Amino acid sequence: MRRTYYFLPKILIFSSLAITNLGCGTAFLNFNQIHPARSGEPTALTSSLKNLPEPAEPLIVAVYSFRDQTGQYKPQDGGSGFSTAVTQGAGNILVKVLADSKWFVPIERENISDLLNERKIIRSTRQQFGMNEELPGLLYAGVLLEGGIISYDANVVTGGAGLRYFGAGGNSQYRQDRVTVYLRAVSVTTGKILKTVYASKMILSQSVDGGMFRFVKFERLLEAETGFTFNEPSEIAVTEAIEKAVESLIFEGIAENLWNLKEPGKKKEILDAYNSQKEHDSKMDVLNQLTEDRRQTASFSISSANFLYKGDYAAPRFRPGFETGLGYNFSPAAGLRLRIAVGELATQKGFKNSISSANLDFQWRYTPAYRFSPSLNFGVGLIQNRISGRRFSKANLGGGFEWLAAKKIGLAASLDYNYAFTDLLDEKINGKYNDAFWQVNFGVNFYFGKKIKNKKRLAPGAPEKPKSKGPLQDF
């Protein structure tokens, strides 16, 4: 009972802080207030779209239809509902984006029948009252813009993390969906498709919650919960994807002389910036992760090593050591490493031995085009008992991961199992199994030399780099 009363104040303080935190956070974010109507919020691309270089002359375009072609319904926990996953009014979004860009003058075609009926009413009214004034002719377009929302992929990435201890804890979950739009420009006079572009946007949904569920004393239960859920609006994601498609259409049209700049002297500067951005986008995979050739041909590593003996003596313990190495990478994914380590094998009582080892390893990286890459390695080498001076051959198998903190610096961790081809490593023969030891490394890799180039990307899902056919065809 005394222990219960001892912990009760701490629990109550924790609960009070949690509730206070929630209240302050809620008040700060205004989740519980009624908001008045406001103008539509801009996306991350709205500002750049409105600040595009001016055209020589805006182009009159017609949009008859820009529909949802996915046939996708909104995903729910129990299946799909009757609501569509994306907006059915993408044509209205496209018309606004075209007008915002100031490169196009969109004309009404989606509801052309309503416009023609209204013009008939005006003509009949004027005739009825003897007015002979004719209506001006309708504008006609030189280019049709076609396309639509062609893909909505739900649950492209899902994940989360959580922790709970003695009835208290929390967890976080996230999900990413993906929407893709296609846009093409068609010449009205010839029917030729002048250009086709597409753009995609990831849609984020996430939830964070925490709580406590615990008996603080007999028949006294304390329960507290807090959390929030955020779903990125799909309409904003569709708007941003359409804005990106329109922006790409403008720049690619400039590159192929489909339309011209008001200041032609800035064409090269503008296209160079667009080329750079498109080259960057071409290195992004479907998960929106940057993939590129990151490593040089040679590397030098230095790390702390921890050895755990596995042999004829009982009660082994970890002992510190040191390792350094040189590596040669003959492709982004594969390479050879020469590793030299010194350390100690020991048990709780009765055994302690200093060793040194040299390994020649083959290393294979699973995702070399990413900053974070798991790896596997295996090799052979020699191990020396530094007390007796005897040397033995061995083999090793291991794995680890590396995170590139900078262009030429990587932080690495690895675990290796080293198997000696002898039972005399600890100077004792007992049983039928040879001696061995585990080695855990934490260190830094420094890369130098020539950067490795590879025509075919080795990262899963990463596209191949297109061959250049000239400054205009690179688009």
Side-chain angles (χ1 to χ4, degrees):
M1 185 64 69
R2 290 182 179 178
R3 289 181 60 85
T4 300
Y5 285 113
Y6 177 78
F7 284 110
L8 182 58
K10 294 183 178 181
I11 295 174
L12 292 177
I13 290 172
F14 174 80
S15 304
S16 301
L17 289 174
I19 294 172
T20 303
N21 235 354
L22 175 62
C24 293
T26 304
F28 178 74
L29 295 173
N30 295 328
F31 287 151
N32 59 344
Q33 296 183 9
I34 297 175
H35 298 277
R38 51 165 289 187
S39 300
E41 52 276 308
T43 71
L45 291 176
T46 301
S47 177
S48 62
L49 187 72
K50 291 183 177 180
N51 293 315
L52 290 173
E54 295 184 28
E57 184 179 353
L59 185 66
I60 299 176
V61 295
V63 180
Y64 278 82
S65 175
F66 195 83
R67 299 180 297 106
D68 169 24
Q69 301 175 10
T70 67
Q72 188 95 353
Y73 289 97
K74 188 175 294 184
Q76 297 178 351
D77 292 339
S80 296
F82 292 102
S83 299
T84 54
V86 292
T87 176
Q88 304 299 290
N92 299 320
I93 297 174
L94 176 59
V95 168
K96 184 180 184 305
V97 171
L98 292 171
D100 288 344
S101 72
K102 299 178 184 179
W103 274 79
F104 303 102
V105 178
I107 57 178
E108 179 60 46
R109 287 296 182 267
E110 188 171 2
N111 295 309
I112 185 65
S113 59
D114 296 341
L115 178 61
L116 294 177
N117 285 336
E118 194 63 26
R119 288 172 65 86
K120 288 180 181 178
I121 293 173
I122 294 173
R123 288 194 188 97
S124 63
T125 303
R126 287 181 176 180
Q127 290 175 0
Q128 181 179 354
F129 289 97
M131 300 172 64
N132 297 323
E133 185 179 353
E134 291 291 331
L135 283 175
L138 290 176
L139 288 175
Y140 59 88
V143 173
L144 292 178
L145 293 183
E146 302 284 349
I149 305 171
I150 58 91
S151 174
Y152 183 88
D153 303 300
N155 299 327
V156 175
V157 182
T158 60
L163 178 66
R164 189 166 294 276
Y165 180 73
F166 271 79
N171 68 83
S172 172
Q173 297 180 348
Y174 67 90
R175 185 188 81 223
Q176 285 190 341
D177 303 337
R178 186 173 185 260
V179 62
T180 303
V181 301
Y182 270 72
L183 180 65
R184 65 180 180 272
V186 183
S187 171
V188 173
T189 55
T190 63
K192 178 183 177 181
I193 298 177
L194 303 175
K195 202 67 189 177
T196 300
V197 295
Y198 83 100
S200 63
K201 172 73 170 67
M202 300 296 283
I203 305 174
L204 175 65
S205 300
Q206 61 180 345
S207 67
V208 178
D209 61 76
M212 171 181 284
F213 187 89
R214 187 171 180 181
F215 283 95
V216 296
K217 58 183 293 188
F218 182 68
E219 294 184 345
R220 292 292 186 272
L221 177 65
L222 174 65
E223 185 174 359
E225 292 181 339
T226 183
F228 72 91
T229 299
F230 168 75
N231 296 304
E232 185 178 0
S234 61
E235 174 265 333
I236 293 180
V238 170
T239 300
E240 190 168 342
I242 292 175
E243 287 176 340
K244 185 63 178 178
V246 170
E247 184 183 82
S248 299
L249 185 65
I250 291 171
F251 284 115
E252 300 205 13
I254 293 172
E256 298 193 4
N257 298 316
L258 299 178
W259 30 82
N260 299 312
L261 289 163
K262 184 177 181 180
E263 300 180 25
K266 294 184 178 181
K267 180 176 180 179
K268 183 179 184 304
E269 177 185 351
I270 291 170
L271 291 183
D272 285 346
Y274 175 69
N275 265 337
S276 177
Q277 180 62 45
K278 189 166 184 182
E279 178 69 17
H280 178 273
D281 291 347
S282 70
K283 296 176 182 178
M284 307 294 286
D285 67 0
V286 295
L287 302 181
N288 212 35
Q289 298 293 316
L290 181 63
T291 63
E292 61 179 345
D293 299 323
R294 296 179 180 273
R295 292 172 177 83
Q296 283 75 32
T297 53
S299 66
F300 170 74
S301 63
I302 183 171
S303 60
S304 65
N306 296 274
F307 298 88
L308 182 64
Y309 163 75
K310 182 178 174 62
D312 299 322
Y313 292 95
R317 61 172 179 167
F318 275 104
R319 296 298 297 162
F322 172 82
E323 182 183 280
T324 185
L326 289 173
Y328 175 76
N329 301 308
F330 42 82
S331 77
L336 294 175
R337 295 187 303 166
L338 176 62
R339 302 161 54 195
I340 299 175
V342 293
E344 197 174 68
L345 303 179
T347 60
Q348 297 291 344
K349 295 180 181 180
F351 173 70
K352 184 177 180 181
N353 200 349
S354 296
I355 64 167
S356 59
S357 66
N359 302 338
L360 181 62
D361 288 1
F362 174 83
Q363 184 182 38
W364 180 74
R365 301 180 186 90
Y366 179 61
T367 54
Y370 295 90
R371 295 187 69 182
F372 179 85
S373 178
S375 62
L376 293 173
N377 63 276
F378 61 89
V380 294
L382 295 174
I383 182 170
Q384 181 179 15
N385 186 322
R386 295 170 63 190
I387 295 177
S388 67
R390 302 179 67 179
R391 293 182 183 143
F392 309 99
S393 58
K394 73 177 185 70
N396 65 286
L397 175 67
F401 62 85
E402 180 185 31
W403 181 71
L404 291 176
K407 289 184 177 180
K408 297 184 179 183
I409 300 176
L411 304 179
S414 63
L415 172 65
D416 285 271
Y417 180 75
N418 295 267
Y419 179 81
F421 295 119
T422 181
D423 196 23
L424 290 172
L425 184 59
D426 53 10
E427 302 295 335
K428 180 180 179 180
I429 298 178
N430 184 21
K432 60 180 181 179
Y433 296 107
N434 291 342
D435 296 328
F437 62 90
W438 292 93
Q439 181 178 338
V440 181
N441 284 14
F442 299 95
V444 183
N445 296 331
F446 301 93
Y447 289 93
F448 57 93
K450 187 178 180 181
K451 180 173 284 191
I452 306 171
K453 297 293 184 180
N454 198 338
K455 294 181 180 180
K456 185 174 182 180
R457 298 196 178 278
L458 301 177
E464 291 188 13
K465 185 177 179 180
K467 295 181 178 179
S468 177
K469 298 180 180 178
L472 298 184
Q473 285 74 15
D474 281 346
F475 296 97

